[in-house]
Amino acid sequence: MSDDDSHRYTEWDCRPELAAEARETTYRFLAGLCPTPSAHTSQNLVLIVSELVTNSLRHAGEVTSLQLCADRRSLRIVVKDPSPAQPQDRTPDLTGRTGGFGWPMIQRLAERVTVRPRVGGGKTILAVLAR
């Protein structure tokens, strides 16, 4: 990273216990970016963060880290949780009781999504959006 790029790199790290907390963190993160991403990109970022955190809380029991990063070209979301289980596609429940919409939505909204096991257990999910 050049000196010019380092001035344009922003990073936040937290450990939300609720999806609402993660959304609030994301809004604060977006407010600090200059230039601010478009409304469409900002909405997608908040939605992806909310879904990733909700999934980790529901299926892994906690989020061990939520990291939001921005540079001139991209926005990155990194969610770590203690479960080694990979996210699964499942048939969405149209009654709204059991979900099934989040993971496909994350994959559709992000330019790239990767899931990697962590040394010592758990996993890291990285989602990248164009800025």
Side-chain angles (χ1 to χ4, degrees):
M1 184 178 329
S2 71
D3 286 340
D4 186 44
D5 287 341
S6 67
H7 295 292
R8 294 186 175 127
Y9 181 81
T10 304
E11 181 176 333
W12 281 48
D13 199 353
C14 66
R15 188 176 174 183
E17 295 180 8
L18 302 168
E21 205 178 311
R23 287 189 295 273
E24 182 59 35
T25 295
T26 305
Y27 289 126
R28 286 194 313 263
F29 171 75
L30 285 164
L33 296 179
C34 186
T36 304
S38 71
H40 179 75
T41 298
S42 295
Q43 290 168 354
N44 287 346
L45 182 72
V46 171
L47 186 54
I48 292 170
V49 167
S50 185
E51 290 297 328
L52 286 173
V53 167
T54 296
N55 287 350
S56 287
L57 293 171
R58 178 177 290 161
H59 301 291
E62 70 177 316
V63 173
T64 55
S65 176
L66 165 63
Q67 187 177 54
L68 302 170
C69 308
D71 60 25
R72 292 182 310 160
R73 294 182 192 97
S74 66
L75 300 167
R76 289 179 303 288
I77 306 154
V78 179
V79 174
K80 297 177 183 176
D81 70 43
S83 173
Q86 298 286 308
Q88 300 293 313
D89 285 327
R90 54 191 178 100
T91 303
D93 178 1
L94 299 178
T95 67
R97 288 181 290 198
T98 61
F101 295 94
W103 185 241
M105 185 178 357
I106 291 163
Q107 293 175 304
R108 198 170 49 254
L109 294 176
E111 281 190 341
R112 179 174 43 119
V113 180
T114 58
V115 182
R116 294 201 172 103
R118 288 181 28 219
V119 175
K123 67 180 166 293
T124 299
I125 301 174
L126 167 68
V128 180
L129 288 85
R131 185 157 177 184

